[in-house]
Amino acid sequence: MKHFNLEGIGMTSRRTRDRLVQRLRSNGIVDERVLDTIAAVPRHIFVDEALAHRAYEDSALPIGHGQTISQPYLVAAMTAALLAGGDGPPGRVLEIGTGSGYQTAILASLVAEVYSIERIAGLLERARDRLRALGVRNVQLKHGDGNSGWPAKAPFDAVMVTAGASHIPDAVMDQMADGAHLVIPVGKGDVKDLKRLRKSGDAWRQETLDQVRFVPLVRGIAR
């Protein structure tokens, strides 16, 4: 696990962060790499100051532009699913939906390279500032439509989609290396199936991990 630059960043008490980790563990998160990272990443810097006192609750919180920072349980579950989906930690990971940058920071601590796309420019710039403040150096950010993926940086060893999709974007699937895996909430209704897919040549093996709610995956870009 990589270390973060926490100088000048007010940290909540270790007891508060440990309480969140214990809650995640009791809810079925068993990957100690993920739990250690959740304990290390200061979630309160990824939310507005007025909500910082709620940062270590196991709940989603608003971050503006109609978006949310995901519930820590979902962050942990999706990260664990991504790590467990292959033969070892993936090297190059595409994240679709940077949002606050919190999930990005978690991934950056556990994999070699993260390429993250966000359609809302205002969110992307705030995420960039937060990641820079933490000293995260293995992340590249892009303002763009996540449905198109990031062809210039492909192929990817893994992809995480942090928004609810009605279907899996073909462009993203085409940018995955053989043996790569994808974690995505997908389905037609408000409640999505959290799926993990593994690419094997022209075939895909998939499994449903949970039922979840996410903000929708939207096409296009916004300021």
Side-chain angles (χ1 to χ4, degrees), residues 190-208:
D190 291 338
V191 177
K192 309 293 187 184
D193 290 331
L194 180 61
K195 289 186 175 291
R196 179 170 59 200
L197 294 88
R198 183 179 177 89
K199 184 176 183 179
S200 179
D202 294 329
W204 293 85
R205 186 182 70 212
Q206 65 173 292
E207 56 187 315
T208 299

Side-chain angles (χ1 to χ4, degrees), residues 133-199:
L134 284 176
V136 176
R137 297 287 180 263
N138 60 329
V139 171
Q140 292 188 40
L141 302 177
K142 177 183 178 180
H143 181 217
D145 183 344
N147 289 279
S148 300
W150 197 336
K153 301 298 183 182
F156 299 102
D157 301 311
V159 178
M160 179 184 288
V161 180
T162 63
S166 61
H167 65 281
I168 302 172
D170 289 337
V172 172
M173 298 175 78
D174 290 343
Q175 292 168 32
M176 295 172 62
D178 191 36
H181 45 285
L182 165 68
V183 176
I184 181 172
V186 63
K188 298 298 184 183
D190 291 338
V191 177
K192 309 293 187 184
D193 290 331
L194 180 61
K195 289 186 175 291
R196 179 170 59 200
L197 294 88
R198 183 179 177 89
K199 184 176 183 179

Side-chain angles (χ1 to χ4, degrees), residues 38-128:
I38 293 284
V41 175
R43 189 173 186 250
H44 63 278
I45 76 164
F46 293 93
V47 300
D48 290 341
E49 189 173 347
L51 292 172
H53 66 289
R54 297 187 57 196
Y56 298 92
E57 297 176 4
D58 189 22
S59 60
L61 296 170
I63 56 172
H65 300 274
Q67 305 299 300
T68 61
I69 181 173
S70 294
Q71 176 189 1
Y73 171 79
L74 287 179
V75 171
M78 291 178 71
T79 303
L82 195 81
L83 295 178
D87 299 324
R92 296 166 64 86
V93 174
L94 174 65
E95 179 192 30
I96 296 176
T98 313
S100 69
Y102 177 65
Q103 175 72 82
T104 316
I106 298 291
L107 288 172
S109 181
L110 294 164
V111 306
E113 302 171 72
V114 180
Y115 298 87
S116 187
I117 304 172
E118 173 55 52
R119 65 177 296 271
I120 301 173
L123 288 181
L124 187 70
E125 290 311 309
R126 288 205 294 273
R128 191 188 307 277

Side-chain angles (χ1 to χ4, degrees), residues 17-31 34-39 43 56-59 71-77 102 106:
R17 288 177 281 130
D18 285 348
R19 191 179 301 126
L20 172 60
V21 168
Q22 185 55 45
R23 187 176 299 119
L24 298 179
R25 186 179 279 114
S26 67
N27 285 335
I29 305 299
V30 298
D31 191 317
V34 174
L35 292 170
D36 287 347
T37 303
I38 293 284
R43 189 173 186 250
Y56 298 92
E57 297 176 4
D58 189 22
S59 60
Q71 176 189 1
Y73 171 79
L74 287 179
V75 171
Y102 177 65
I106 298 291

